[in-house]
Amino acid sequence: MNHEPYKLIPEGFTAVPSLEADEPELHFVDGFGQLDALAVVVPSEGEVPASVGLHRETLESAGFDGKPGTTLQLANASGTLVVAVGGGKPGSLDADGWRKAAAALVRATQRHARIGFELSDTAGIDAEHLGQVLAEGVLLARYRYDTLKSKAKPTALSEVQFLAPGVDTAAAERGLTTGRVKVRATNIARDLCNAPPSHLTAAGLGEVSQELANRFGFTVEEFNKQQLIDLRCGGLLGVNAGSAQEPRMIKLSYRPEGSPTGHLGLVGKGIMYDSGGVSLKPSDPMHLLMKMDMGGAAAVLAVFTALRDLGCKAAVTGFLMCTDNMPSGSAYKLGDVLTTRSGLTIEVKNTDAEGRLVMCDAMTLAVEDDVDGIVDIATLTGAALMSLGQLTAPVFGNDQRLVDLVLESGSRADEQVWQLPLERAYRPQLDSDVADISNLGGPYAGSTTAALFLAEFVGETPWAHIDIAGTMQSDKDDLWRSKGATGFGARLLIDLALGYPAG
């Protein structure tokens, strides 16, 4: 992994530390064993569960109103912390609500290793789905990236016991297993995004991909600089021109046993660090986050770690387009023209609009592989952050059926996506006087013009594009979103692949 010894990266460093951590036990029980903390769902009205030990008037006087996501820590003479977790109106918690409730209890019990969670009124949700979302809420919220910290680590979570009278325990346990796999994938994506650019290069991501493939049952092909030249991947090569690090295209392949139900292509933007190139970014907090500009590639790679274990029936091919974007004497410049694998030529009008340049070659290769649908995911435009903020990613596409599948998967995963129009009337903004197309549109609708650029390379193949520039990271701990990289898109795309094609 350490291709540059002067960086003094410890031999024991791993780009995916979450895989090395001890996994907590999660299980449904008929009665609680020994606990350090007990969380109890308390609705906003009606009876307060007896295990809380207080009347509603007392809870309200302490500022607890029972709204979803709220918690109140209560001292207990037995030494076991009791945490009231808001459940909203009786019977109102859906799958997202239970996921958030589980995350809230974990946030309130950071110093405790063995936690019990007393659930009530779960009749409105399937037992297996309940187990899945509880596992997701607990394990996503407990994530921390502290592998490079030398100080003592916080208390590790060792066990969570779920007490849910009337729930089919066997089905709920199966759900816990599914949830674990999806969280494992999400945390892999988080690890890769949180890793410093000094510690994870394009070549390093290739090594990680090989290791994960051997462990989780998919195959990897790496393409180095000379191979990319032979493939005529001029977009990726152009962006890499200013870098001291070699680029990589990493092709991932998963094939199920038997005849696949379909062939899904996934494309991930893998800019390992984005300085903006010659169009240098300002030195502000957003620049610091540009180690996460490979969040799309991280999400796609993470998806492949779950496909075998969750029994995916579709064939899935992924392309990770990886390089950093740096200024130097050899860097590509404004006014340069790049020739892509498709044969289309691109005039460079801004070197900080580089994500679409590295991805366009992958779109062409995916079409050549005869996929029957392409979904790309990329930290592509600041306009996505400005328009929809940090909780919702815009999705565009040329095929409404595929876009609808993405929207449905996002809803199930609680990874919010919102369709924006692929407004063809803006396409002339990308016209060039010297090439087939330019890599920058006008001052408005930046997410749309970026999507229109990508659309040029998919032809008639059904395609959807998810822009995660806003959702790639969280500024603070927020329910299941831990501070730092969110791994957004991994669970959404896993859900999509498992049901692909629907109908």
Side-chain angles (χ1 to χ4, degrees):
M1 180 74 67
N2 187 5
H3 303 289
E4 298 166 302
Y6 72 89
K7 290 181 178 178
L8 305 181
I9 298 172
E11 286 188 14
F13 173 79
T14 172
V16 283
S18 62
L19 286 180
E20 309 299 323
D22 293 332
E23 291 192 355
E25 296 180 24
L26 305 179
H27 48 116
F28 282 79
V29 297
D30 296 325
F32 289 125
Q34 189 174 5
L35 299 173
D36 300 323
L38 170 64
V40 183
V41 174
V42 179
S44 58
E45 55 189 55
E47 295 294 323
V48 175
S51 48
V52 175
L54 295 173
H55 296 295
R56 184 168 299 280
E57 293 77 11
T58 306
L59 295 175
E60 290 176 348
S61 68
F64 179 79
D65 57 11
K67 290 182 179 178
T70 59
T71 59
L72 177 65
Q73 297 183 1
L74 305 169
N76 188 293
S78 68
T80 300
L81 176 72
V82 175
V83 180
V85 178
K89 292 184 178 181
S92 65
L93 285 183
D94 57 7
D96 288 345
W98 282 113
R99 185 188 287 109
K100 290 180 171 70
L105 85 88
V106 168
R107 297 287 181 211
T109 55
Q110 291 288 336
R111 298 182 181 180
H112 300 83
R114 294 166 300 178
I115 304 169
F117 191 20
E118 182 179 314
L119 290 73
S120 59
D121 208 0
T122 60
I125 181 172
D126 171 77
E128 188 167 348
H129 198 191
L130 175 66
Q132 176 188 324
V133 297
L134 290 174
E136 290 176 1
V138 166
L139 299 175
L140 290 171
R142 201 62 180 239
Y143 174 88
R144 287 290 181 275
Y145 187 82
D146 53 16
T147 188
L148 296 173
K149 291 186 176 182
S150 56
K151 294 183 178 180
K153 305 295 191 291
T155 303
L157 182 64
S158 62
E159 182 183 16
V160 180
Q161 302 172 20
F162 300 104
L163 180 62
V167 167
D168 181 343
T169 302
E173 292 281 349
R174 290 196 300 271
L176 289 177
T177 300
T178 299
R180 275 188 180 279
V181 173
K182 291 188 174 184
V183 172
R184 181 185 70 198
T186 302
N187 286 346
I188 287 171
R190 288 169 160 181
D191 285 344
L192 295 171
C193 289
N194 283 324
S198 56
H199 288 53
L200 185 62
T201 62
L205 188 61
E207 293 178 15
V208 173
S209 299
Q210 295 282 2
E211 294 168 3
L212 294 176
N214 293 336
R215 183 167 177 174
F216 295 114
F218 59 98
T219 60
V220 171
E221 295 177 78
E222 283 188 71
F223 297 83
N224 62 24
K225 188 171 186 176
Q226 183 56 54
Q227 291 169 310
L228 290 167
I229 293 171
D230 295 340
L231 285 171
R232 307 187 314 281
C233 291
L236 179 55
L237 290 164
V239 176
N240 177 254
S243 177
Q245 300 289 336
E246 273 221 354
R248 286 291 186 274
M249 181 175 74
I250 305 166
K251 183 178 181 181
L252 315 174
S253 300
Y254 166 81
R255 297 296 179 269
E257 294 183 5
S259 298
T261 57
H263 187 185
L264 176 64
L266 300 177
V267 175
K269 173 187 171 184
I271 301 297
M272 310 306 294
Y273 183 80
D274 183 18
S275 70
V278 172
S279 304
L280 193 66
K281 292 180 181 289
S283 184
D284 60 14
M286 182 55 71
H287 200 160
L288 178 63
L289 295 175
M290 286 301 100
K291 66 178 183 178
M292 299 183 188
D293 209 18
M294 37 71 70
V300 170
L301 176 55
V303 168
F304 280 78
T305 68
L307 299 178
R308 180 196 64 189
D309 290 354
L310 295 180
C312 181
K313 301 300 184 184
V316 187
T317 301
F319 295 89
L320 316 182
M321 308 303 283
C322 304
T323 179
D324 45 13
N325 181 25
M326 301 296 287
S328 76
S330 61
Y332 76 135
K333 308 169 293 298
L334 281 70
D336 280 356
V337 173
L338 308 179
T339 302
T340 65
R341 178 169 178 81
S342 70
L344 287 177
T345 55
I346 304 168
E347 181 186 10
V348 177
K349 290 186 176 178
N350 189 316
T351 65
D352 197 23
E354 85 298 329
R356 63 203 73 180
L357 298 177
V358 304
M359 294 170 67
C360 66
D361 291 320
M363 301 292 197
T364 301
L365 289 165
V367 172
E368 292 175 5
D369 268 7
D370 291 325
V371 300
D372 44 47
I374 299 172
V375 178
D376 80 75
I377 183 167
T379 51
L380 206 61
T381 66
L385 172 62
M386 298 303 291
S387 59
L388 295 180
Q390 291 183 284
L391 297 180
T392 305
V395 58
F396 301 83
N398 65 0
D399 182 87
Q400 192 57 47
R401 182 171 176 272
L402 182 55
V403 170
D404 287 342
L405 292 179
V406 170
L407 293 169
E408 292 163 9
S409 290
S411 177
R412 285 190 289 267
D414 192 26
E415 294 189 325
Q416 297 171 199
V417 285
W418 188 269
Q419 185 176 6
L420 292 182
L422 190 69
E423 179 51 71
R424 302 283 181 177
Y426 296 152
R427 171 59 183 83
Q429 294 182 29
L430 296 169
D431 286 347
S432 166
D433 292 335
V434 298
D436 295 317
I437 193 171
S438 68
N439 75 328
L440 192 68
Y444 308 117
S447 295
T448 302
T449 54
L452 286 167
F453 178 94
L454 295 175
E456 294 286 315
F457 296 87
V458 297
E460 299 302 316
T461 302
W463 157 76
H465 158 63
I466 308 170
D467 190 335
I468 59 170
T471 57
M472 70 177 182
Q473 66 92 34
S474 179
D475 297 330
K476 61 181 180 180
D477 288 338
D478 177 24
L479 295 175
W480 63 260
R481 297 171 183 82
S482 294
K483 184 177 181 180
T486 60
F488 188 100
R491 289 183 298 118
L492 183 161
L493 293 175
I494 291 169
D495 185 274
L496 177 71
L498 293 179
Y500 187 83

